[in-house]
Amino acid sequence: MPIEVLCLRPEADFIRVGALPPPSLTVRYCAPIDVEVPSYLKSAQGLVIPAVGPKLPAALFEGTALKLVQVTGAGVDRVEPDALKRRNIPLANVPGGSNSAIAEYVMTSASLLLRRLAFADAEIKAGRYTEWRARMLAANLGGLEDALIGIVGLGVIGLAVARLAQRSGCRVVYCDPTSPNAAAALPAQAVSLDELLSSADVVTLHVPLLPSTTGLIGARELARMKPSAVLVQASRGGVVDEAALAAALQEGRLAGAAVDVYASEPPAADNPLLGLTGEARNRILLTPHIGGVTRQASTYLFRTAWQNVERVLVDGEPPLYRVY
């Protein structure tokens, strides 16, 4: 009897990076909004979902024979834990597969913002080469070498950022209230959030979205940052107060920000980050939740996810990277 798996991301995603499922699985691909999803789940033994997307309703799991829900990334906030726990359905993810990609995103974004490279691009295209070159020289802009990188959240992603930052010649401090000794094997100093914000040249966020981290960076926290500092938001939407960040940028109280995640995705047309005017528009780098997306990262994530599905459904082994 074939082992059926329902996958809520397009087959083309897997073909593109050479990470197709093993032949032991019969996979049906469909969009999350497909009205047939509930009926397809009645016969599926496994469900594969991307980490990014709308939350799946708890009713979707009623009356299913699922033996595993597998996420093709690290984030697991698309599923309500109780919806699976009540039915004894394991949830597994693939932790760490995007670490290098996110670290690269952070350091690249920080360099672009600190040196105002994207700003220069826009000014030159507008015909202001001479004026802008003079302004950049007068500003005495710093780069990454010897910059102080402040990492909020030193889990596996935060550690990857710290290591790349140190290889780039940066100094590192961190704040992680849940793991105060997280950097025991890393030459980095633990500091309070306030101290990190007031001293860092680059503040980069790598915390999950929890009640304790929602709105973690608001008007008060942004006001503590140096006017020459930049913020990189590549954690989860909702960790930063977007209206407060927009105000800080519009008023010139922050040198720049890179934002890869939003309180709602895609961001609404009235999102304050989209309404910046004048020079503030060039102080922000907006990307569509792709900080951890590279071909290499996707290949690893997808292959690892399929291997785990086969391990559980075909080999009868407990899942690796079980979240609950």
Coordinates of all heavy atoms in Angstrom, one line a residue, residues 127-203:
G127 N 21.4 61.4 -10.6 CA 22.2 62.4 -11.1 C 23.0 63.3 -10.1 O 23.5 64.4 -10.5
R128 N 23.1 62.8 -8.9 CA 23.8 63.5 -7.9 C 25.1 62.9 -7.4 O 25.4 62.8 -6.2 CB 22.9 63.7 -6.7 CG 21.7 64.6 -7.0 CD 20.9 64.9 -5.7 NE 20.1 63.8 -5.3 CZ 18.9 63.5 -5.8 NH1 18.3 64.3 -6.6 NH2 18.2 62.5 -5.3
Y129 N 25.9 62.5 -8.4 CA 27.2 61.8 -8.1 C 28.2 62.6 -7.3 O 28.6 62.2 -6.2 CB 27.9 61.4 -9.4 CG 29.3 60.7 -9.3 CD1 29.4 59.4 -9.3 CD2 30.4 61.5 -9.1 CE1 30.6 58.8 -9.1 CE2 31.6 61.0 -8.9 CZ 31.8 59.6 -8.9 OH 33.0 59.0 -8.8
T130 N 28.5 63.8 -7.8 CA 29.5 64.7 -7.1 C 29.0 65.1 -5.7 O 29.8 65.0 -4.7 CB 29.7 65.9 -8.0 OG1 30.2 65.5 -9.3 CG2 30.8 66.8 -7.3
E131 N 27.8 65.5 -5.6 CA 27.2 65.9 -4.3 C 27.3 64.7 -3.3 O 27.7 64.9 -2.1 CB 25.8 66.4 -4.4 CG 25.1 66.7 -3.1 CD 23.6 66.9 -3.3 OE1 23.2 67.0 -4.4 OE2 22.9 67.0 -2.3
W132 N 26.9 63.6 -3.7 CA 26.8 62.5 -2.8 C 28.2 61.9 -2.4 O 28.4 61.5 -1.3 CB 25.9 61.3 -3.4 CG 25.7 60.3 -2.3 CD1 26.1 59.0 -2.3 CD2 24.9 60.4 -1.1 NE1 25.7 58.4 -1.2 CE2 25.0 59.2 -0.4 CE3 24.3 61.5 -0.5 CZ2 24.4 59.0 0.8 CZ3 23.7 61.3 0.8 CH2 23.8 60.1 1.4
R133 N 29.1 61.9 -3.4 CA 30.5 61.5 -3.0 C 31.1 62.4 -2.0 O 31.7 61.9 -1.0 CB 31.4 61.5 -4.3 CG 32.7 60.9 -4.0 CD 33.6 60.7 -5.2 NE 34.8 60.0 -4.9 CZ 35.9 60.5 -4.4 NH1 36.0 61.8 -4.1 NH2 36.9 59.7 -4.1
A134 N 30.8 63.7 -2.1 CA 31.3 64.6 -1.1 C 30.7 64.4 0.3 O 31.4 64.4 1.3 CB 31.1 66.0 -1.6
R135 N 29.4 64.1 0.3 CA 28.7 63.8 1.5 C 29.2 62.5 2.2 O 29.4 62.5 3.4 CB 27.2 63.7 1.3 CG 26.5 65.0 1.1 CD 25.0 64.9 1.0 NE 24.4 64.4 2.2 CZ 23.2 64.1 2.4 NH1 22.3 64.4 1.4 NH2 22.7 63.7 3.5
M136 N 29.5 61.5 1.4 CA 30.0 60.3 1.9 C 31.4 60.4 2.5 O 31.7 59.9 3.6 CB 30.0 59.2 0.9 CG 28.6 58.7 0.4 SD 28.7 57.4 -0.8 CE 29.1 56.0 0.2
L137 N 32.2 61.2 1.9 CA 33.6 61.4 2.4 C 33.5 62.2 3.7 O 34.2 62.0 4.7 CB 34.4 62.2 1.4 CG 34.8 61.3 0.1 CD1 35.5 62.2 -0.9 CD2 35.7 60.2 0.5
A138 N 32.6 63.3 3.7 CA 32.5 64.1 4.9 C 31.9 63.3 6.1 O 32.2 63.7 7.2 CB 31.6 65.3 4.6
A139 N 31.1 62.3 5.8 CA 30.5 61.6 6.9 C 31.4 60.6 7.6 O 31.1 60.1 8.7 CB 29.3 60.8 6.3
N140 N 32.6 60.4 7.0 CA 33.6 59.5 7.6 C 33.0 58.2 8.0 O 33.1 57.7 9.2 CB 34.2 60.2 8.8 CG 35.5 59.6 9.3 OD1 36.2 59.0 8.5 ND2 35.8 59.7 10.6
L141 N 32.4 57.5 7.1 CA 31.6 56.3 7.3 C 32.5 55.2 7.7 O 33.6 55.0 7.2 CB 30.8 55.9 6.1 CG 29.8 57.0 5.6 CD1 29.2 56.5 4.3 CD2 28.7 57.2 6.6
G142 N 32.1 54.4 8.7 CA 32.8 53.2 9.1 C 32.3 51.9 8.4 O 31.2 51.9 7.9
G143 N 33.1 50.9 8.4 CA 32.7 49.6 7.8 C 32.6 48.6 8.9 O 32.4 48.9 10.1
L144 N 32.8 47.3 8.6 CA 32.6 46.2 9.5 C 33.8 46.0 10.4 O 33.7 45.5 11.5 CB 32.2 44.9 8.8 CG 30.9 44.8 8.1 CD1 30.7 43.5 7.3 CD2 29.8 44.9 9.2
E145 N 35.0 46.3 9.9 CA 36.2 46.0 10.7 C 36.2 46.8 12.0 O 36.0 48.0 12.1 CB 37.4 46.4 9.9 CG 38.7 46.1 10.6 CD 40.0 46.4 9.8 OE1 39.8 47.0 8.7 OE2 41.1 46.1 10.2
D146 N 36.3 46.0 13.1 CA 36.3 46.5 14.5 C 34.9 47.1 14.9 O 34.8 47.6 16.0 CB 37.4 47.6 14.7 CG 37.7 47.7 16.2 OD1 37.8 46.7 16.9 OD2 37.9 48.9 16.6
A147 N 33.9 46.9 14.1 CA 32.6 47.3 14.5 C 32.1 46.4 15.6 O 32.4 45.3 15.7 CB 31.6 47.3 13.3
L148 N 31.2 47.0 16.5 CA 30.6 46.2 17.6 C 29.3 45.7 17.2 O 28.3 46.5 16.9 CB 30.5 47.1 18.9 CG 30.0 46.3 20.1 CD1 30.9 45.2 20.5 CD2 29.7 47.3 21.2
I149 N 29.1 44.4 17.1 CA 27.9 43.8 16.7 C 27.2 43.3 17.9 O 27.7 42.5 18.7 CB 28.2 42.5 15.7 CG1 29.1 42.9 14.6 CG2 26.8 42.0 15.2 CD1 28.6 44.0 13.7
G150 N 25.9 43.8 18.1 CA 25.1 43.4 19.2 C 24.1 42.4 18.8 O 23.2 42.7 18.0
I151 N 24.2 41.2 19.3 CA 23.3 40.1 18.9 C 22.2 39.8 20.0 O 22.6 39.5 21.1 CB 24.0 38.8 18.6 CG1 25.1 39.0 17.5 CG2 23.1 37.7 18.2 CD1 26.0 37.9 17.3
V152 N 21.0 40.0 19.7 CA 19.9 39.8 20.6 C 19.3 38.4 20.3 O 18.6 38.2 19.3 CB 18.8 40.8 20.5 CG1 17.7 40.6 21.5 CG2 19.4 42.2 20.7
G153 N 19.6 37.4 21.1 CA 19.2 36.0 20.9 C 20.4 35.2 20.4 O 20.7 35.3 19.2
L154 N 21.0 34.4 21.3 CA 22.2 33.7 20.8 C 21.9 32.2 20.8 O 22.6 31.4 21.4 CB 23.4 34.0 21.8 CG 24.7 33.8 21.2 CD1 25.0 34.8 20.1 CD2 25.8 33.8 22.2
G155 N 20.9 31.9 20.0 CA 20.6 30.5 19.7 C 21.5 30.0 18.5 O 22.6 30.6 18.3
V156 N 21.1 29.0 17.8 CA 22.0 28.5 16.7 C 22.2 29.5 15.6 O 23.3 29.6 15.1 CB 21.5 27.2 16.1 CG1 21.6 26.0 17.2 CG2 20.0 27.3 15.7
I157 N 21.2 30.3 15.3 CA 21.4 31.3 14.3 C 22.2 32.5 14.8 O 23.1 33.0 14.2 CB 20.0 31.9 13.8 CG1 19.3 30.8 13.1 CG2 20.2 33.1 12.9 CD1 17.8 31.1 12.7
G158 N 21.9 32.9 16.1 CA 22.7 34.0 16.7 C 24.2 33.6 16.8 O 25.1 34.5 16.5
L159 N 24.5 32.4 17.1 CA 25.9 31.9 17.2 C 26.5 31.9 15.8 O 27.7 32.3 15.6 CB 25.9 30.5 17.7 CG 25.8 30.4 19.3 CD1 25.6 28.9 19.7 CD2 27.1 31.0 19.9
A160 N 25.8 31.5 14.7 CA 26.3 31.6 13.4 C 26.7 33.0 13.0 O 27.7 33.3 12.4 CB 25.3 31.0 12.4
V161 N 25.8 34.0 13.4 CA 26.1 35.4 13.1 C 27.3 35.8 13.8 O 28.2 36.5 13.3 CB 24.9 36.2 13.5 CG1 25.2 37.7 13.3 CG2 23.7 35.9 12.6
A162 N 27.4 35.4 15.1 CA 28.6 35.8 15.9 C 29.9 35.3 15.3 O 30.9 36.1 15.3 CB 28.4 35.3 17.4
R163 N 29.9 34.1 14.9 CA 31.1 33.5 14.3 C 31.5 34.2 13.0 O 32.7 34.5 12.8 CB 30.9 32.0 14.1 CG 30.8 31.3 15.4 CD 30.7 29.8 15.2 NE 30.7 29.1 16.5 CZ 29.7 28.3 17.0 NH1 28.6 28.2 16.2 NH2 29.7 27.8 18.2
L164 N 30.5 34.5 12.2 CA 30.8 35.2 10.9 C 31.3 36.6 11.2 O 32.2 37.1 10.6 CB 29.6 35.2 10.0 CG 29.9 35.9 8.6 CD1 31.0 35.2 7.9 CD2 28.6 35.8 7.8
A165 N 30.7 37.3 12.2 CA 31.1 38.6 12.5 C 32.5 38.7 13.0 O 33.3 39.5 12.6 CB 30.1 39.2 13.6
Q166 N 32.9 37.7 13.8 CA 34.2 37.7 14.4 C 35.2 37.4 13.2 O 36.3 37.9 13.2 CB 34.3 36.6 15.5 CG 33.6 37.1 16.7 CD 33.6 36.1 17.9 OE1 33.8 34.9 17.7 NE2 33.5 36.6 19.1
R167 N 34.8 36.5 12.3 CA 35.7 36.2 11.2 C 35.9 37.5 10.3 O 36.9 37.6 9.6 CB 35.2 35.0 10.3 CG 35.3 33.7 11.0 CD 35.2 32.6 10.0 NE 34.0 32.5 9.3 CZ 32.9 31.9 9.7 NH1 32.9 31.3 10.9 NH2 31.8 31.9 9.0
S168 N 34.9 38.4 10.4 CA 34.9 39.6 9.6 C 35.7 40.7 10.3 O 35.7 41.9 9.8 CB 33.5 40.0 9.2 OG 32.8 39.0 8.5
G169 N 36.2 40.4 11.4 CA 37.0 41.4 12.2 C 36.2 42.3 13.1 O 36.6 43.3 13.6
C170 N 34.9 41.8 13.4 CA 34.1 42.6 14.3 C 34.2 42.1 15.8 O 34.6 41.0 16.0 CB 32.6 42.4 13.9 SG 32.2 42.9 12.2
R171 N 33.9 43.0 16.7 CA 33.7 42.6 18.1 C 32.2 42.2 18.3 O 31.4 42.7 17.6 CB 34.1 43.8 19.0 CG 35.6 44.1 18.9 CD 35.9 45.5 19.6 NE 35.3 46.6 18.9 CZ 34.5 47.5 19.5 NH1 34.2 47.4 20.8 NH2 34.0 48.5 18.8
V172 N 32.0 41.4 19.3 CA 30.6 40.9 19.5 C 30.2 41.0 21.0 O 31.0 40.6 21.9 CB 30.5 39.4 19.0 CG1 29.1 38.8 19.4 CG2 30.7 39.3 17.5
V173 N 29.0 41.5 21.2 CA 28.3 41.4 22.5 C 27.0 40.7 22.2 O 26.5 40.8 21.1 CB 28.2 42.7 23.2 CG1 29.6 43.3 23.6 CG2 27.4 43.7 22.4
Y174 N 26.4 40.2 23.3 CA 25.1 39.5 23.1 C 24.2 39.7 24.3 O 24.7 39.9 25.4 CB 25.2 38.1 22.7 CG 25.6 37.2 23.9 CD1 24.6 36.5 24.6 CD2 26.9 37.0 24.3 CE1 24.9 35.7 25.6 CE2 27.2 36.2 25.3 CZ 26.2 35.5 26.0 OH 26.5 34.7 27.1
C175 N 22.9 39.6 24.1 CA 21.9 39.5 25.1 C 21.0 38.4 24.8 O 20.4 38.3 23.8 CB 21.1 40.8 25.2 SG 19.7 40.8 26.3
D176 N 20.9 37.4 25.8 CA 20.0 36.3 25.6 C 19.5 35.9 27.0 O 20.1 35.1 27.7 CB 20.7 35.1 25.0 CG 19.7 34.1 24.5 OD1 18.6 34.0 25.1 OD2 20.0 33.3 23.6
P177 N 18.4 36.5 27.5 CA 17.9 36.3 28.8 C 17.6 34.8 29.1 O 17.7 34.4 30.2 CB 16.6 37.1 28.9 CG 16.8 38.2 27.8 CD 17.6 37.5 26.7
T178 N 17.2 34.1 28.0 CA 16.9 32.7 28.3 C 18.1 31.8 28.4 O 18.0 30.7 28.9 CB 16.0 32.1 27.1 OG1 16.7 32.2 25.9 CG2 14.7 33.0 27.0
S179 N 19.2 32.2 27.9 CA 20.5 31.4 27.9 C 21.6 32.3 28.2 O 22.4 32.7 27.4 CB 20.7 30.7 26.6 OG 19.6 29.9 26.3
P180 N 21.8 32.8 29.5 CA 22.8 33.7 29.8 C 24.2 33.2 29.6 O 25.2 34.0 29.5 CB 22.6 34.0 31.3 CG 21.8 32.8 31.8 CD 21.0 32.4 30.6
N181 N 24.4 31.9 29.5 CA 25.8 31.4 29.3 C 25.9 30.8 27.9 O 26.7 29.9 27.6 CB 26.1 30.3 30.3 CG 26.1 30.8 31.7 OD1 26.6 31.9 32.0 ND2 25.4 30.1 32.6
A182 N 25.1 31.3 26.9 CA 25.0 30.7 25.6 C 26.4 30.8 24.9 O 26.7 30.0 24.0 CB 24.0 31.5 24.8
A183 N 27.2 31.8 25.2 CA 28.5 32.0 24.5 C 29.7 31.4 25.2 O 30.8 31.9 25.1 CB 28.7 33.4 24.1
A184 N 29.5 30.4 26.0 CA 30.6 29.9 26.8 C 31.7 29.5 26.0 O 32.9 29.6 26.4 CB 30.1 28.7 27.6
A185 N 31.5 29.0 24.8 CA 32.6 28.5 23.9 C 33.0 29.6 22.9 O 33.7 29.3 21.9 CB 32.2 27.3 23.2
L186 N 32.4 30.8 23.1 CA 32.7 31.9 22.1 C 33.2 33.1 22.8 O 32.7 33.5 23.9 CB 31.3 32.2 21.4 CG 31.4 33.1 20.2 CD1 31.9 32.4 19.0 CD2 30.0 33.6 19.9
P187 N 34.2 33.8 22.3 CA 34.7 35.0 22.9 C 33.8 36.2 22.7 O 34.0 37.0 21.9 CB 36.1 35.2 22.3 CG 36.0 34.5 20.9 CD 35.1 33.4 21.1
A188 N 32.7 36.2 23.5 CA 31.8 37.3 23.4 C 31.2 37.6 24.7 O 31.1 36.7 25.6 CB 30.6 36.9 22.4
Q189 N 30.9 38.8 25.0 CA 30.5 39.3 26.3 C 29.0 39.4 26.4 O 28.3 39.9 25.5 CB 31.1 40.6 26.6 CG 30.7 41.2 28.0 CD 31.3 42.6 28.3 OE1 31.9 43.1 27.4 NE2 31.0 43.1 29.4
A190 N 28.4 38.8 27.5 CA 27.0 39.0 27.7 C 26.7 40.3 28.4 O 27.4 40.7 29.3 CB 26.5 37.8 28.6
V191 N 25.7 41.1 27.9 CA 25.4 42.4 28.4 C 23.9 42.5 28.5 O 23.1 41.7 28.0 CB 26.0 43.5 27.6 CG1 27.5 43.5 27.5 CG2 25.4 43.5 26.1
S192 N 23.4 43.5 29.2 CA 22.0 43.7 29.3 C 21.5 44.3 27.9 O 22.3 44.8 27.1 CB 21.6 44.8 30.4 OG 22.2 46.0 30.0
L193 N 20.2 44.2 27.7 CA 19.7 44.7 26.4 C 19.9 46.2 26.3 O 20.3 46.7 25.2 CB 18.2 44.4 26.3 CG 17.5 44.9 25.0 CD1 18.1 44.3 23.8 CD2 16.0 44.6 25.1
D194 N 19.7 46.9 27.4 CA 20.0 48.4 27.3 C 21.4 48.7 27.0 O 21.7 49.6 26.2 CB 19.6 49.0 28.6 CG 18.1 49.2 28.8 OD1 17.4 49.0 27.8 OD2 17.7 49.6 29.9
E195 N 22.4 47.9 27.6 CA 23.8 48.2 27.3 C 24.1 47.8 25.8 O 24.9 48.6 25.2 CB 24.7 47.4 28.2 CG 26.1 47.7 28.1 CD 27.0 46.9 29.0 OE1 26.5 46.3 30.0 OE2 28.2 46.9 28.8
L196 N 23.5 46.8 25.3 CA 23.8 46.3 24.0 C 23.3 47.4 23.0 O 24.0 47.8 22.1 CB 23.1 45.0 23.7 CG 23.3 44.4 22.3 CD1 23.2 42.8 22.4 CD2 22.2 44.9 21.3
L197 N 22.1 47.9 23.2 CA 21.5 48.9 22.3 C 22.3 50.2 22.3 O 22.5 50.8 21.3 CB 20.0 49.2 22.8 CG 19.0 48.0 22.6 CD1 17.7 48.4 23.3 CD2 18.8 47.7 21.1
S198 N 22.8 50.6 23.5 CA 23.5 51.9 23.5 C 24.9 51.9 23.0 O 25.5 52.9 22.7 CB 23.4 52.4 25.0 OG 24.1 51.5 25.8
S199 N 25.5 50.7 22.9 CA 26.9 50.6 22.5 C 27.1 50.0 21.1 O 28.2 50.3 20.5 CB 27.6 49.7 23.5 OG 27.1 48.4 23.6
A200 N 26.2 49.2 20.6 CA 26.5 48.5 19.3 C 26.4 49.4 18.1 O 25.6 50.3 18.0 CB 25.5 47.3 19.2
D201 N 27.2 49.1 17.1 CA 27.2 49.7 15.8 C 26.1 49.0 15.0 O 25.5 49.7 14.1 CB 28.5 49.6 15.1 CG 29.6 50.4 15.9 OD1 29.4 51.6 16.2 OD2 30.6 49.7 16.3
V202 N 25.9 47.7 15.2 CA 24.9 46.9 14.5 C 24.2 46.1 15.5 O 24.7 45.4 16.3 CB 25.5 46.0 13.5 CG1 24.5 45.1 12.8 CG2 26.4 46.7 12.4
V203 N 22.8 46.3 15.6 CA 22.0 45.5 16.4 C 21.2 44.5 15.5 O 20.5 44.9 14.6 CB 21.0 46.3 17.2 CG1 20.0 45.5 18.0 CG2 21.7 47.3 18.1

